[in-house]
Amino acid sequence: MSFNYYKISRHGSDEHKFMSKWTSIVDFVEIYGHIEISNYLKLENSFIKFLKMFYDFFTQPFKSYGYTSLAFNIIISEDLESNRDSLLYYGMTDTAKRLSKLSKLNLNSIAEDDVSFLFKCWVRGLCSLYFFDIVTSSSLKPMEDDFYFSLILQEDIELNEIFSYVDGVHVYVDFDHYTSNESYIPPINIGEKIKINTPKESVP
């Protein structure tokens, strides 16, 4: 089984990455103030919407049967309690308790609102989510920095089958960071930006 590897980022170019001054909501407010927080929340919501497309794609085919082929794991941040008064919790309530409860459930038992909550916590760095589709071995997982995610798709699955364009979210060709196979040859177009299709408008 072969795979394609991608990196999801908020940076549209290396220059943008170099010029960026913040990595989290806390940094953003310290630099730009609360008056500009709507700009951060707009980007955050864009990432939640984009990442959730992976979840939707791999859970929908089996939902009517009461199960899903998508497995997941939650790792809750060790700093969750010590950061209780932090801006990381902006607009959220009972976060630690809710995360703890959801971490004990499987995807079939999690309501849609709770799924969106988990993705918000993930983007904020309050937890890490690891998704793995047991049918195709495709996966979505965090990378080391905030607003960076690793996407691995079975080669037969096109990126645009799952995702549609969301403003502020960028996808690049990546390589296998986890292989120990010495014969592995990384793709020659590492770092190439992938064009994500804009969803077609529905015809009335």
Side-chain angles (χ1 to χ4, degrees), residues 2-3 6 15 21-22 26 35 37-38 53 62 67 69 81 89 110 125 131 135 141 145 147 155 159 167 180 183 188:
S2 298
F3 299 91
Y6 305 96
E15 181 181 7
K21 299 177 181 178
W22 61 273
V26 177
I35 195 171
I37 199 170
S38 61
M53 291 178 194
F62 300 99
Y67 71 93
S69 65
E81 291 296 329
Y89 297 97
I110 298 178
F131 291 97
V135 174
K141 62 187 72 174
D145 297 326
F147 287 95
E155 65 175 355
L159 200 64
D167 188 37
S180 57
S183 64
I188 60 174

Side-chain angles (χ1 to χ4, degrees), residues 10 63 72 85 151 158 177 186:
R10 69 183 175 91
K63 272 196 170 181
F72 90 127
D85 297 323
L151 172 67
E158 295 292 335
H177 294 264

Side-chain angles (χ1 to χ4, degrees), residues 4-47:
N4 292 319
Y5 300 83
Y6 305 96
K7 177 170 64 177
I8 302 170
S9 168
R10 69 183 175 91
H11 300 296
S13 65
D14 288 339
E15 181 181 7
H16 181 209
K17 179 180 179 180
F18 179 77
M19 296 296 291
S20 179
K21 299 177 181 178
W22 61 273
T23 59
S24 70
I25 187 173
V26 177
D27 297 336
F28 187 94
V29 172
E30 286 180 353
I31 295 169
Y32 301 107
H34 282 85
I35 195 171
E36 298 290 340
I37 199 170
S38 61
N39 290 324
Y40 169 86
L41 295 175
K42 181 180 178 181
L43 179 64
E44 178 180 270
N45 288 332
S46 290
F47 265 80

Side-chain angles (χ1 to χ4, degrees), residues 98-153:
R98 194 174 174 187
L99 267 178
S100 177
K101 178 181 178 181
L102 292 173
S103 68
K104 298 176 175 65
L105 302 178
N106 61 50
L107 283 179
N108 297 326
S109 306
I110 298 178
E112 195 68 20
D113 286 348
D114 286 329
V115 171
S116 296
F117 167 78
L118 285 174
F119 276 94
K120 180 184 285 288
C121 289
W122 190 15
V123 173
R124 294 260 180 110
L126 297 171
C127 72
S128 293
L129 302 182
Y130 296 80
F131 291 97
F132 181 82
D133 180 63
I134 61 176
V135 174
T136 66
S137 295
S138 300
S139 65
L140 177 66
K141 62 187 72 174
M143 299 187 81
E144 292 184 0
D145 297 326
D146 290 342
F147 287 95
Y148 278 93
F149 303 88
S150 172
L151 172 67
I152 303 173
L153 296 179

